[in-house]
Amino acid sequence: MTAVGIEVNNLNFFWPNGEQVIKSCSLQVPKGEFWMLLGTNGSGKSTLLRLIAGLLAPQSGEVTISPAVGFVFQNPDHQLVMPTVGVDVAFGLVAEKLQPAMVKARVEEALGAVNLLSLQRRPIYALSGGQKQRVAIAGAIARHCDVLLLDEPTALLDPDSQLDLVASVRNLVKSRGITALWVTHRLEELNYCDGAFLLEKGCLVDSGEAERLKQRLIQVHQ
C-alpha cells in the first residue's frame, strides 16, 4: 500500500461574503511524489493550496499532512525578508534554536541543493526572479520539510527559467523523498510531474496521469 504524503477529505471553504470557493474537495498525493494542481485563473487553486498549508481554515473537511511544511509563494518578494541570501535562509531556522554550527551547515546544505551556494553573501535585491524563488525553496529545505507546497512559482519568470525551476524542484523532491504539490496553469510544466489534479470552479474534476490531463485540456482549448 502506497504511503500518503498529503491527504484532503471533503474540504469546503467559503469566503465571508458566502461565496463557496472549494467544494467537497478530496485528494491524495503519494509520499515522495511530485504532483501538480491545474486549473484556470479563478478555479480555486491557490485557495486550496493555502487550505492544505493551514494558512486558511476550511468550514468543513480535513487535511492530513506532516507539520514540517514548506510554502513557496508566487512572488518571492513576499517571503524573503532578510538582506542577504544566507541570512534569509538562516532566518527560517530561528525557531529551532540550533547551535550556530548547525545553522551554518543547514544553510549551506540547502543552498547547495538549489545551486546557490556561491551566492550566499549576495544581497537579495541583486538576484534574478528565478534565483529569488530558489532562495525561497532553500528556506524550506533548510527546515527539513517533508512537504513542499508551491503556488505558481514560475509565474514571474521567463520561459527558460520556468522549466529550469520545475526540473530543479523535481530533482530535489526525488533525491530527498519530499512530497510536493505545485500549482500551475502551464501545460508544459506537466512534463515534469508524477501526476496531476484538475480543479474547475472549486471542484476537483479529474486526477491521475499528467499526459492524459494535458491532452484533455488541449482538446478543450482547440
Side-chain angles (χ1 to χ4, degrees):
M1 189 172 172
T2 306
V4 177
I6 301 170
E7 185 166 12
V8 174
N9 286 310
N10 203 28
L11 217 59
N12 289 282
F13 179 76
F14 299 78
W15 291 125
N17 66 3
E19 179 192 358
Q20 186 170 7
V21 191
I22 301 298
K23 303 166 185 174
S24 302
C25 189
S26 297
L27 60 82
Q28 291 184 338
V29 180
K31 193 174 174 123
E33 292 196 6
F34 180 28
W35 281 59
M36 291 188 175
L37 179 59
L38 275 167
T40 56
N41 288 335
S43 60
K45 304 184 303 295
S46 294
T47 302
L48 179 55
L49 199 72
R50 282 166 167 74
L51 287 162
I52 293 171
L55 299 176
L56 293 172
Q59 274 76 21
S60 62
E62 61 181 13
V63 176
T64 305
I65 192 171
S66 162
V69 177
F71 194 97
V72 178
F73 290 87
Q74 184 180 113
N75 187 341
D77 290 333
H78 294 164
Q79 68 188 111
L80 303 180
V81 296
M82 302 304 282
T84 64
V85 169
V87 174
D88 194 274
V89 175
F91 181 71
L93 299 172
V94 169
E96 296 187 41
K97 297 183 170 62
L98 303 171
Q99 294 294 322
M102 179 57 73
V103 171
K104 184 173 183 288
R106 290 261 203 108
V107 169
E108 290 180 353
E109 173 198 38
L111 288 174
V114 296
N115 297 318
L116 287 183
L117 188 54
S118 63
L119 303 185
Q120 189 169 349
R121 298 181 189 281
R122 181 162 296 186
I124 294 291
Y125 72 79
L127 301 178
S128 68
Q131 288 170 335
K132 286 180 179 179
Q133 283 296 30
R134 289 172 189 269
V135 174
I137 293 165
I141 293 167
R143 299 197 313 277
H144 287 179
C145 67
D146 297 319
V147 176
L148 188 57
L149 305 174
L150 307 104
D151 188 8
E152 295 200 49
T154 59
L156 304 179
L157 307 182
D158 63 78
D160 288 343
S161 298
Q162 286 169 3
L163 296 184
D164 187 41
L165 187 69
V166 183
S168 296
V169 171
R170 177 179 172 79
N171 291 338
L172 275 173
V173 166
K174 293 303 177 184
S175 64
R176 291 168 179 262
I178 296 170
T179 305
L181 185 58
W182 170 295
V183 167
T184 187
H185 60 264
R186 293 186 168 87
L187 296 185
E188 61 271 21
E189 295 180 359
L190 284 169
N191 297 333
Y192 295 84
C193 66
D194 296 308
F197 305 102
L198 178 59
L199 201 65
E200 287 181 4
K201 297 179 180 175
C203 297
L204 195 67
V205 296
D206 204 348
S207 66
E209 207 259 321
E211 185 59 32
R212 182 179 62 78
L213 264 67
K214 186 173 169 182
Q215 292 308 318
R216 171 179 172 165
L217 289 168
I218 289 171
Q219 288 168 5
V220 166
H221 291 106
Q222 280 178 344

